[in-house]
Amino acid sequence: MRKFLALLFGVAALLLVGWYGYRTLVEQQVGFPLSALLEPERKSSLPTEPDDWQGKIDYRNLDRDFAAMAARPEMAGLAIAIVEDGEIRFVRTYGVTDKRSGEPVTPQTVFRWASVSKGVAGSLAAKLATEGTLNLEAPLSGWQTSLRLPKSAEMRISLAQLLSHQTGLTKNSYDNKLEDGESPSLLRGQLSVAPLKCEPGTCHSYQNIAFDAVSEILGQATGTLYSGAVREQLFGPLGMSSAQFGRIGLTGAESWARPHRGDEVLTLSESYWRVPAAAGVNSDIVDMARWMRAQMGVDEPILSRETIAIAQAPLVRTGRVYGGDLARALTTPSYGLGWRSFNYTGRQLVGHSGAVDGYRATMIFDPAARTGVVAMWNNGWGRPFTIPFAVLDSYYGQSVSDWLDLSEVPLPAPPTDVPALSN
C-alpha cells in the first residue's frame, strides 16, 4: 500500500511539474499569463440585456437613444460599454460590421482605437517611471530615436513633453506624408526642418509622427518591441485578449468592423498602424472597457494609483476639444501623458478620442466617480462623440442635456451619382 501511495504521489508530482513547465513556456511565448487565455469572458456574464443593467444610470432610455443614433444613414455599426462605480454595467452593440453583408456588430467585434491608443503609451511610460526604469524629465537625446526637431530641440525636450505634445511643431506635422505611404522613422528625421507653431516646450500642438518616437524609447527601455511590452505589462495582465496592434490585429479577428463613408466600404490603409504608440491599437468594446476600468484604479498593482496619477496629470493647457456646444461645455482643457482632461459641469473628466478614415472611438470617464463610457463606430460621423456626456448627465442625476437629440439634425443628401428610379 505504501509503495502504491508513493508511486501515486510521484506521478502527481511529475504531472504538476510538467504543467507548470508547460505554462511557463507558453507564458514566455505569448508574453502574458496563461490564465488570460484559459479564462475568457463568458458571453453570458456580460451585461448585454435590459435585465442586466443595474445602477443609477437610466440605461433603458439611453439604449433607445443609442439605437436611434445607430439607425441614422451616416452610421454603420456602433459598440458602447459603460462602467458605473468601477464595474462594467452595460454592454450593447448596434448596426453592422459591413453594410454589404449585413453582419451584425457583437460585443466581440473588433474596432480601431485610433488616437485613444496614445493613453496606452502614456500609461506604460508612467509605469516604467514609477518602477525607476526611465526618467520622464530627461532629454529625449538620451535615447536612440529617429526624432529630430527644429533647433535640435530633442536635446532639451523631455519624454513628458513629447507625450504631452510640446514639441513646438505645427499641428499634425507631416501626417499627409504618412498617409501617402512614407516611412514614419524617415519622417521623424525630416521634422528637423518642419515649421514651428511655437518655441519647443512652450505650447501644446497635437502630433502623431513625432509622438510615436515614444514607441522607440519604450522599446529600448523594456528591451523588446513596443507592442510586446504593452502586451506583457498591460494588456495581458488585464485580460485584454482581443487588444492587438497592427492591421492583422483587426482583420485577424473572427468579427471585425469595416470602415465606412456613408454606404461605401472603404479600403483599409496601413498609415496610422505604422505609428503604434499614436494610433495602433484594435480591440473589442469589452476590452476597451477593461482598459478604462484600469485607468480608474481598480486593477492595482498592474496600474498603481501613483502610475495613474502621473499619466493623467494635466501638464499643458490645450485649445478647445471637439466643436460647437460640446466644446463650450468642456472648460480648462489640458493634456497629460497621452491623456486629455477637462472640466464638465464642475467635475474633472479624463479621456481621449480618436479618428482614422472610416473609424471613430472615444473614452471619457470621471476618475473620482469611477464612471465612464467607451464607444467605437465604423464611420466618420462626429455626433456619437456626445454619447459619454449624455451618460454622465444621467449618472449625476442632473437635467439630461439634448446631446442625443437628433430631431433637428438634417439627413445627409443622397448621392448625386445614383440614377433616378423609374416606376
Side-chain angles (χ1 to χ4, degrees):
M1 186 66 177
R2 289 180 180 176
K3 290 182 179 179
F4 174 75
L5 289 175
L7 179 61
L8 185 63
F9 282 122
V11 171
L14 286 172
L15 289 172
L16 191 62
V17 169
W19 159 246
Y20 280 109
Y22 168 77
R23 179 171 177 160
T24 300
L25 177 62
V26 172
E27 288 182 358
Q28 288 175 346
Q29 291 176 339
V30 301
F32 55 85
L34 189 58
S35 57
L37 297 176
L38 297 180
E39 300 170 8
E41 184 92 33
R42 291 194 183 97
K43 293 181 184 179
S44 60
S45 67
L46 296 174
T48 57
E49 300 301 327
D51 289 346
D52 304 327
W53 303 335
Q54 305 296 323
K56 295 166 58 177
I57 295 170
D58 186 353
Y59 291 110
R60 291 174 186 253
N61 277 331
L62 285 166
D63 177 48
R64 285 192 288 270
D65 289 338
F66 299 156
M69 179 173 283
R72 291 275 302 197
E74 296 94 334
M75 297 288 285
L78 172 66
I80 301 172
I82 299 172
V83 172
E84 182 178 346
D85 298 330
E87 298 297 331
I88 300 176
R89 300 284 181 85
F90 176 96
V91 176
R92 198 72 156 171
T93 57
Y94 313 84
V96 297
T97 66
D98 186 332
K99 287 190 175 184
R100 298 167 303 187
S101 69
E103 176 194 352
V105 176
T106 73
Q108 289 74 44
T109 298
V110 173
F111 290 79
R112 297 182 68 175
W113 286 23
S115 285
V116 179
S117 305
K118 289 182 171 71
V120 176
S123 297
L124 180 57
K127 186 175 191 290
L128 296 175
T130 59
E131 295 169 354
T133 304
L134 56 75
N135 181 357
L136 291 170
E137 303 306 324
L140 297 175
S141 55
W143 300 91
Q144 295 179 3
T145 80
S146 57
L147 181 63
R148 298 294 181 269
L149 295 172
K151 305 179 181 181
S152 299
E154 70 275 6
M155 304 293 291
R156 58 185 186 277
I157 291 294
S158 69
L159 179 56
Q161 289 173 312
L162 174 66
L163 285 163
S164 54
H165 303 287
Q166 296 186 66
T167 58
L169 296 165
T170 54
K171 183 180 178 182
N172 296 106
S173 286
Y174 292 174
D175 277 7
N176 58 330
K177 296 183 178 183
L178 178 70
E179 292 168 3
D180 287 340
E182 296 190 38
S183 162
S185 60
L186 292 178
L187 290 175
R188 277 192 285 274
Q190 295 169 18
L191 287 171
S192 62
V193 294
L196 287 173
K197 172 187 176 180
C198 65
E199 187 66 23
T202 64
C203 74
H204 172 272
S205 182
Y206 196 81
Q207 303 297 316
N208 285 304
I209 297 165
F211 183 96
D212 192 61
V214 73
S215 68
E216 300 173 331
I217 293 170
L218 296 180
Q220 291 173 47
T222 56
T224 186
L225 292 175
Y226 168 72
S227 57
V230 169
R231 284 194 296 267
E232 181 177 350
Q233 300 205 33
L234 297 174
F235 291 169
L238 291 170
M240 297 169 58
S241 58
S242 76
Q244 304 288 339
F245 286 87
R247 179 172 180 155
I248 191 63
L250 178 74
T251 61
E254 184 175 343
S255 172
W256 61 279
R258 275 67 171 176
H260 289 73
R261 183 184 299 121
D263 290 334
E264 178 189 2
V265 179
L266 304 177
T267 301
L268 288 172
S269 169
E270 294 282 353
S271 303
Y272 289 96
W273 276 312
R274 292 186 291 121
V275 285
V281 180
N282 323 279
S283 88
D284 64 31
I285 196 65
V286 179
D287 278 347
M288 198 183 205
R290 287 192 179 104
W291 176 245
M292 182 170 65
R293 282 186 77 243
Q295 295 299 325
M296 297 172 179
V298 298
D299 282 297
E300 295 187 274
I302 299 168
L303 279 176
S304 68
R305 293 180 183 275
E306 181 185 4
T307 294
I308 292 168
I310 291 172
Q312 297 176 7
L315 300 179
V316 60
R317 287 290 298 272
T318 76
R320 283 184 169 184
V321 184
Y322 307 113
D325 292 341
L326 191 52
R328 289 185 285 273
L330 306 178
T331 60
T332 62
S334 303
Y335 209 97
L337 304 183
W339 290 100
R340 292 191 183 275
S341 60
F342 35 75
N343 187 285
Y344 176 68
T345 66
R347 297 165 175 90
Q348 189 74 4
L349 304 184
V350 174
H352 213 292
S353 294
V356 291
D357 199 16
Y359 297 95
R360 298 292 185 269
T362 190
M363 174 185 296
I364 303 292
F365 61 96
D366 180 334
R370 291 186 172 185
T371 297
V373 183
V374 290
M376 293 185 283
W377 56 105
N378 53 332
N379 62 85
W381 199 32
R383 190 60 182 255
F385 284 125
T386 62
I387 286 172
F389 304 96
V391 174
L392 288 169
D393 282 350
S394 180
Y395 177 79
Y396 296 143
Q398 59 195 32
S399 141
V400 177
S401 67
D402 60 357
W403 296 126
L404 303 182
D405 181 7
L406 303 176
S407 60
E408 296 183 2
V409 179
L411 292 172
T416 57
D417 57 348
V418 175
L421 296 176
S422 59
N423 292 329

